[in-house]
Amino acid sequence: MSEGATAAHDVLLVGGGAAGLRAAIAIAETNPSLSVAVVSKVYPMRSHTVSAEGGAAGAIAEGDTLDEHAYDTISGSDWLCDQDAVEAFVQEAPRELLQLEHWGCPWSREPDGRIAVRAFGGMKNMRTWFAADKTGFHMLHSLFQTSLKYTDITRYDEWFVTRLLVDDGRVHGVVAIELMSGRIEVITAKSVVLCNGGSGKVFPFTTNANICTGDGMALAYRAGAPLKDMEFVQYHPTGLPFTGILITEATRAEGGWLLNKDGYRYLQDYDLGKPEPTPVLRSMELGPRDRLSQAFVHEVEKGRTIESPYGPIVHLDLRHLGAKLIDTKLPMVRELCMQYERIDPVTELIPVRPVVHYMMGGVHTDINGATPIDGLFAAGETACVTINGANRLGSNSLPECLVFGARAGRAAAEYATSAKQPSPAVMRQADDEVRRLEQMRSPDRGHEQIADIREEMQSTMEDSAGIFRSGDSLAKGVDQLAELQQRLDRIQLYDQTSAFNTELVAALELANMLDIAETILHSAVQREESRGAHQRTDFTTRDDTRFLNHALAYRDSDGSVRIERLPVTITRWPPGERVYGR
Amino acid sequence: MADSIRMQVTRYTPGPDSVPTVAEYDVPLRKDWAVLDGLNYIKDHVDSSLSYRWSCRMGICGSCGMNVEGEPKLTCATFLTDYAPGPVRVEPLSNFPIVRDLVVDIEDFMEKLPRVKPWIIRDDDVTVIDGEYLQTPEELAEYKQFSNCINCMLCYAACPIYGLEPDFIGPAAIALAERYDLDSRDRGQRERLDVLIEKEGVWGCTFVGECTTVCPKHVDPAGAIQRYKLKAAKENLMTFLLPRAAR
Ligand SMILES: Cc1cc2nc3c(=O)[nH]c(=O)nc-3n(C[C@H](O)[C@H](O)[C@H](O)COP(=O)(O)OP(=O)(O)OC[C@H]3O[C@@H](n4cnc5c(N)ncnc54)[C@H](O)[C@@H]3O)c2cc1C
Ligand code: SF4
Ligand code: FES
C-alpha cells in the first residue's frame, strides 16, 4: 500500500446526490483547470435524492418575498437555525432552481409556460417548485445527465469511502473500497467535500433508503470534526405502515385531510387552526411536521387511532380531490398506494403513521460548507449549516443541497487552488486503515451478527429517542448503545470474497450508524428543554435562556462523546412564539 | 396461504473455474413482502454473504432489477405472493456479465449514456438572469414520458438484440435521446441524430418491443426507437437528395 495513492485530485466529492453533483458542476464551471472527482457508493443516479417527491422551495411567485421564506424557515426551525445561513439560502434558492430549469429539469408549469409552485407545510405562501411528485428523481437525473457533459469530472462509481485521511489538522484524501473488485484504494485530494446524505437507517421505521447510513457524519466525526444538533430527528407524519414509504406532504398541500378513527380531522384539537374544506397555508394539515407527528402520538394516547398489524395508524383522505388532480399532480402517490398497499387513493383511505425522515443535524459547517478541519467541507443532508434548526420545513432540503452544494464546491475549489500537495505522511494512515479492514474480516472474532446488532440499535433508538423522549429513556438508550458498541467488535464476517462484498459494507455502515446513534442520544440528554422535533416529557417547554444554542458533539480519544455549545446566529428575527392556524 | 415460499437464488463468486449455481432458501410468505424482502430475510437470517443491489425500496432508484421467474423485474416492486406457492427463481439480469451472485456489470450502459448527449444543448447565451425558458404543460407532456426512465436496465435484459449485438446502444439510451429531442428547450437534435443514425444506433433494433413490455415506468422505449427511425430515415433521404451545405 505504501507505494502511493491510486489517484490524486484537487477536489474530491464524496457523494453523487443532489449536493455532490451540484458541487461537482460548480467546480467544473468555475475552475475548469482543477481536477475534480466524485466518489459514490452507488451509481450517482441511485442516490437517495431520487426518492424526494414533493418539491423544492424558492420564492418566485408574485406576492411572495425572500423575507417571508426566511421567516417561515426560522419559525419552523423553532429559532435554532442560523439566520445568516437562512438569508443566504432564501436568496440563492430561486436562482439555483432556475439553473436546474436551464439544465432540463421538467418542472411542472402554469398554462402560460411559467414555473408552477405549490403550497407546502409550514410555508405561508405558495413557493414550492415541483416536477409532479417525482421532484427529487427529476432533479437528480437532470443533474447527473448534465454532469456527463463535463467530461473532466472523474467518477468512482460504487466505491465505498471508509476513512478520511487527516494529518496536522488538514484533510489529504480518503481510503475507499472499490466494490466491484474489493480492492482497497487511496485517493488523495487537496480538499474533500462530504455530500453523503442522511442517516435515517439508525431508526427502524424510516422513509430513508438502505444507503442512508450517515457515513459522511461518521467519517467527519472520527476525523475530529464535530457533529451539530444531532438530537433533532424529523418524523414525517405520513408514511405507509410496514414499508415506511413516504406519502408526500404535497398530498396535503393539494387538499388531503388527516382523519382519526372517527373520521375526525383531529389536528384542530392541537392548536393548528380550524378545519376548512380547502387548504389554508400554515394551518391544520399544512402545519409543520414536528407538530403534526406529535399530535399523532396524542391521538394514540387518547385511543383515537386505528390498530393495524404494524401499530397504530390514522388515515389520509384524498378521495375528495378526484382522479384527475391525483393523476396529474400526485401520480406517484397513486402508484405507490396501489403497489404497496393495494388500495386506490381515489376511492379509499390511505393508512399512515409518522416515520423517521430527515436528520436536521450533521457535520458542523460555516455558511460556505467549511468544517473546522482544513480542506474538509460538507453539504447536503450530511451537513449542518444550519437552515433547519430544530425542525426542517418540507421542500427546503432539496434547494439546500443545491445552494450549499454549490457554495461548498466553490469554496473547496478555492482552497485547492492555494493548498499544497497532500502530505506523504498520510500514507501511513492509509496502511492502518487497510489493516483495520483486513482485521474486520479475520476469522474467530466472535459470534455476533450484523443484523442482530442493527435491529437492536434501531429499536433502542425508537424507544429512547422517538417523537417524545425523557431523561430516563435517553439514559437507558445510552447504556444499550455502549453495550452494542462492544458487541460490534465481536461481529463475525462470513464472506471471504473480494468481489462486491456487501457483508463487509453492511458491517462498516453499522459501525457508522452506531457512532451517530450515540451522538444523537448524548446531544438529546443534554438538551433539557423541548424545541421543535426534540420533545422532552421531563422538560416540556422551550428554554431560550439555557438552550438557544447548538450542540456540538465531539469524539474524544477514548471514543466517548463530548458536547460543547455554540451560540445561534440571529440577524433580524428575535426568538418568538411559533404560531400556526391562528 | 402457506406460510413460507422457496426461493431459488443464483449464487456466483468469480474465480478461474467458477460457474453460477442455484441455492434454495425458504422464506416467510407474507402478504406485503416483495421479492426483495425475501432476499433481505436470507441475508439477515440465513446467509449474510448473499450479494445484490438495492436502495430505495420504492421503485425509483433503479438498483434492484433481477430476473424473477425469467422475467426482468424490480424486486422491490414485485411481490412474493404473486409466485405462490413457489418456488420462485431469482437470477441476475440477462445480457450483462455477472459480477457476483445477483449483481451484474452495467458499465457498458454507463459508457453509452453520455454518447447520446443527454443534456440540454443550445447555441445561444441565455443565462439564469434571463429567467426560465417558458414551457407550456402541453410542451412538457411531449417528452414527459421519456423523462421517467430510472435506468433500471430491465429493458436491456429483455432485449434480444442487445443480447446478440452488445454494441447496440439500447432502449433506455435511445429513449433518453428522444426525451431531450422532444424538449422545447433543446436544440440538440442534429447532434444526437449523428450518433443514433450509426449502425449501433436505432438501426440495430428490429422492433421486438420487449423493452416496452418490461419497463416498470411506462417509458415506452420501443416508441422512442420507432420515432427515431422515422427521423433517421428522413435524414438519410435528405442526405441522398441534398448536398450537406444545403441541409
Ligand atoms: C422519501 C423522501 C422524500 C423527500 N422529499 C423531499 C422533498 O419533497 N423536498 C425536499 O426538499 N426534501 C425532500 N427529502 C429530503 C431530501 O431528499 C434529502 O435531504 C436530499 O435529497 C439529500 O441529498 P444529498 O445530496 O445530501 O444526499 P443523497 O442524495 O442521499 O446522496 C448521498 C450520496 O453519498 C454517497 N455516499 C454515502 N456514503 C458513502 C460512502 N461511505 N462512500 C461513498 N459514497 C457515499 C451515496 O452514494 C450518494 O451518492 C425527502 C427525503 C426522503 C427520504
Ligand atoms: S426504459 Fe424503462 S426498463 Fe428501460 S431502463 Fe428505463 S425505466 Fe428501466
Ligand atoms: S430498491 Fe430502488 S428500485 Fe428497487
Side-chain angles (χ1 to χ4, degrees):
Chain A
M1 175 58 58
S2 303
E3 307 88 71
T6 313
H9 295 281
D10 292 316
V11 188
L12 186 68
L13 305 150
V14 185
L21 292 176
R22 180 65 190 94
I25 299 174
I27 302 166
E29 279 193 328
T30 53
N31 300 62
S33 61
L34 292 180
S35 144
V36 186
V38 177
V39 34
S40 174
K41 67 178 175 179
V42 295
Y43 283 101
M45 72 282 185
R46 316 262 189 244
S47 301
H48 185 56
T49 295
V50 82
S51 302
E53 301 172 19
I60 50 153
E62 211 154 303
D64 198 5
T65 65
L66 298 181
D67 274 6
E68 284 174 301
H69 189 187
Y71 181 79
D72 286 343
T73 303
I74 293 162
S75 56
S77 83
D78 219 347
W79 273 271
L80 197 72
C81 59
D82 286 318
Q83 296 183 5
D84 53 344
V86 172
E87 291 194 63
F89 165 69
V90 298
Q91 184 160 15
E92 289 166 32
R95 189 196 159 91
E96 283 294 331
L97 295 173
L98 265 180
Q99 179 63 72
L100 233 77
E101 196 276 327
H102 281 232
W103 287 337
C105 186
W107 296 116
S108 294
R109 304 285 179 152
E110 297 292 348
D112 65 0
R114 283 175 310 127
I115 298 290
V117 284
R118 66 166 35 137
F120 234 69
M123 301 275 192
K124 181 165 173 264
N125 294 321
M126 309 243 268
R127 64 169 71 98
T128 297
W129 302 39
F130 58 104
D133 55 359
K134 292 188 181 175
T135 307
F137 164 79
H138 285 301
M139 282 178 57
L140 183 65
H141 280 255
S142 301
L143 280 166
F144 178 59
Q145 288 157 13
T146 301
S147 80
L148 297 174
K149 188 165 74 171
Y150 299 94
T151 45
D152 291 340
I153 300 176
T154 307
R155 285 210 326 272
Y156 298 92
D157 293 343
E158 300 198 314
W159 286 46
F160 184 95
V161 174
T162 68
R163 175 166 175 158
L164 289 176
L165 299 173
V166 174
D167 185 50
D168 208 14
R170 195 195 130 191
V171 73
H172 297 270
V174 303
V175 177
I177 305 172
E178 188 205 28
L179 296 180
M180 189 85 90
S181 65
R183 281 199 316 267
I184 302 167
E185 309 276 9
V186 177
I187 307 175
T188 59
K190 294 179 185 161
S191 56
V192 173
V193 190
L194 295 171
C195 303
N196 305 52
S199 57
K201 280 284 158 184
V202 167
F203 285 82
F205 186 62
T206 174
T207 59
N208 282 199
N210 187 44
I211 57 172
C212 299
T213 51
D215 302 352
M217 299 177 198
L219 289 168
Y221 177 62
R222 288 195 202 128
L227 302 184
K228 184 161 78 194
D229 296 342
M230 291 302 286
E231 63 272 44
F232 297 99
V233 176
Q234 177 164 81
Y235 277 78
H236 191 292
T238 58
L240 293 181
F242 177 58
T243 56
I245 289 174
L246 177 80
I247 299 301
T248 169
E249 198 161 282
T251 52
R252 286 171 277 131
E254 298 299 341
W257 298 328
L258 281 171
L259 307 177
N260 68 13
K261 80 173 199 298
D262 307 317
Y264 173 70
R265 288 174 72 187
Y266 59 90
L267 293 176
Q268 58 190 290
D269 294 355
Y270 301 96
D271 193 19
L272 282 158
K274 289 197 206 34
E276 303 289 346
T278 50
V280 179
L281 294 156
R282 274 181 75 112
S283 170
M284 288 293 291
E285 282 84 0
L286 288 180
R289 292 175 178 174
D290 54 342
R291 296 278 299 276
L292 265 58
S293 296
Q294 290 151 21
F296 172 89
V297 177
H298 293 307
E299 285 295 295
V300 176
E301 286 162 4
K302 290 181 191 164
R304 302 203 297 192
T305 49
I306 301 124
E307 277 314 309
S308 88
Y310 305 104
I313 55 144
V314 288
H315 284 136
L316 177 63
D317 188 358
L318 307 184
R319 295 171 304 179
H320 53 288
L321 302 182
K324 183 155 175 270
L325 186 145
I326 293 178
D327 282 341
T328 48
K329 295 207 163 146
L330 305 165
M332 183 145 102
V333 167
R334 191 168 185 193
E335 199 179 302
L336 290 170
C337 287
M338 305 255 244
Q339 205 151 47
Y340 292 98
E341 292 290 328
R342 300 178 193 197
I343 58 153
D344 184 354
V346 171
T347 53
E348 290 167 279
L349 296 168
I350 310 173
V352 291
R353 57 166 278 198
V355 51
V356 167
H357 185 55
Y358 184 86
M359 297 295 147
M360 267 70 79
V363 183
H364 169 51
T365 73
D366 70 9
I367 117 175
N368 290 314
T371 74
I373 296 176
D374 285 346
L376 182 66
F377 299 78
E381 191 167 338
T382 238
C384 182
V385 175
T386 167
I387 65 158
N388 301 310
N391 175 61
R392 167 182 80 105
L393 289 192
S395 77
N396 263 354
S397 167
L398 291 171
E400 175 185 349
C401 289
L402 300 175
V403 168
F404 293 99
R407 276 177 168 252
R410 287 192 285 262
E414 198 181 306
Y415 183 91
T417 323
S418 55
K420 290 199 298 279
Q421 287 302 329
S423 128
V426 294
M427 290 316 286
R428 264 197 311 280
Q429 284 183 26
D431 289 337
D432 288 347
E433 180 63 2
V434 173
R435 260 193 305 280
R436 178 180 83 102
L437 294 173
E438 275 161 5
Q439 232 161 37
M440 279 183 67
R441 295 169 67 178
S442 65
D444 53 71
R445 290 199 347 142
H447 298 286
E448 294 290 352
Q449 307 287 320
I450 296 173
D452 293 344
I453 298 184
R454 188 174 53 217
E455 276 164 32
E456 284 182 47
M457 169 194 70
Q458 291 171 336
S459 60
T460 299
M461 292 306 284
E462 184 169 62
D463 293 344
S464 63
I467 297 176
F468 287 96
R469 303 105 186 247
S470 71
D472 289 345
S473 74
L474 291 165
K476 199 166 144 207
V478 165
D479 289 344
Q480 284 165 336
L481 288 186
E483 190 202 313
L484 292 177
Q485 283 282 19
Q486 293 191 343
R487 287 170 57 191
L488 187 70
D489 293 334
R490 300 196 294 271
I491 281 189
Q492 185 59 57
L493 298 187
Y494 298 93
D495 188 352
Q496 295 301 324
T497 333
S498 301
F500 226 92
N501 187 326
T502 51
E503 188 192 34
L504 177 61
V505 169
L508 292 163
E509 290 175 335
L510 176 61
N512 291 342
M513 289 193 286
L514 266 178
D515 277 359
I516 288 161
E518 286 195 310
T519 64
I520 294 174
L521 294 195
H522 283 276
S523 307
V525 166
Q526 298 214 3
R527 187 172 286 277
E528 296 178 328
E529 65 158 353
S530 286
R531 183 189 296 270
H534 173 73
Q535 293 292 315
R536 292 272 302 249
T537 52
D538 44 354
F539 296 92
T540 54
T541 53
R542 193 173 91 188
D543 181 350
D544 285 343
T545 327
R546 289 176 67 206
F547 291 108
L548 188 60
N549 49 38
H550 304 293
L552 293 184
Y554 288 87
R555 187 174 191 274
D556 272 341
S557 49
D558 62 351
S560 61
V561 187
R562 173 170 46 88
I563 307 286
E564 290 182 10
R565 308 216 80 89
L566 181 78
V568 166
T569 305
I570 294 186
T571 57
R572 292 193 277 142
W573 294 271
E577 191 195 354
R578 289 174 82 198
V579 179
Y580 293 98
R582 283 190 259 142
Chain B
M1 191 163 84
D3 55 5
S4 78
I5 185 167
R6 177 152 299 181
M7 295 181 75
Q8 298 174 329
V9 181
T10 303
R11 301 300 310 259
Y12 172 75
T13 308
D17 335 288
S18 51
V19 283
T21 56
V22 177
E24 299 204 329
Y25 308 93
D26 290 326
V27 306
L29 180 59
R30 303 212 177 117
K31 180 170 110 303
D32 28 25
W33 271 30
V35 172
L36 179 63
D37 295 309
L39 295 174
N40 284 341
Y41 177 88
I42 298 168
K43 187 161 185 70
D44 285 352
H45 301 287
V46 187
D47 185 342
S48 56
S49 69
L50 181 65
S51 278
Y52 48 96
R53 292 188 181 104
W54 70 289
S55 180
C56 71
R57 210 216 168 277
M58 55 188 279
I60 192 78
C61 75
S63 307
C64 68
M66 295 167 212
N67 275 12
V68 181
E69 282 297 311
E71 271 180 60
K73 294 278 186 194
L74 292 180
T75 49
C76 72
T78 303
F79 293 84
L80 284 172
T81 45
D82 293 341
Y83 299 92
V88 48
R89 206 154 32 92
V90 184
E91 298 162 297
L93 288 178
S94 348
N95 297 340
F96 294 95
I98 311 183
V99 176
R100 169 82 194 272
D101 296 342
L102 299 161
V103 178
V104 294
D105 183 346
I106 64 161
E107 275 305 309
D108 176 58
F109 171 75
M110 295 305 288
E111 181 270 315
K112 281 173 177 158
L113 194 57
R115 278 203 254 153
V116 303
K117 303 187 194 245
W119 52 78
I120 297 280
I121 299 175
R122 293 178 69 100
D123 43 21
D124 51 21
D125 327 300
V126 179
T127 69
V128 285
I129 316 274
D130 304 306
E132 75 256 55
Y133 299 125
L134 295 182
Q135 181 167 70
T136 64
E138 294 72 36
E139 286 169 329
L140 172 66
E142 279 290 304
Y143 69 91
K144 189 71 203 240
Q145 175 178 31
F146 297 123
S147 75
N148 279 333
C149 170
I150 62 172
N151 299 352
C152 66
M153 301 293 99
L154 301 195
C155 54
Y156 285 75
C159 175
I161 309 299
Y162 183 63
L164 294 170
E165 191 46 71
D167 285 340
F168 176 40
I169 198 145
I174 296 172
L176 202 57
E178 188 65 5
R179 173 249 176 275
Y180 281 95
D181 274 9
L182 289 172
D183 191 320
S184 58
R185 297 167 288 188
D186 180 79
R187 306 282 176 270
Q189 293 199 10
R190 171 80 251 165
E191 288 182 42
R192 285 182 207 105
L193 191 58
D194 285 345
V195 178
L196 289 169
I197 208 162
E198 296 297 318
K199 185 166 71 51
E200 310 79 52
V202 288
W203 298 114
C205 170
T206 55
F207 288 132
V208 186
E210 274 303 310
C211 48
T212 290
T213 315
V214 299
C215 176
K217 296 290 145 186
H218 315 294
V219 173
D220 189 18
I225 297 174
Q226 173 87 300
R227 301 171 72 123
Y228 245 112
K229 281 202 170 172
L230 286 173
K231 267 190 270 189
K234 213 162 110 198
E235 175 66 21
N236 277 353
L237 196 65
M238 300 286 276
T239 323
F240 188 66
L241 294 174
L242 298 170
R244 187 163 187 104
R247 276 187 271 147

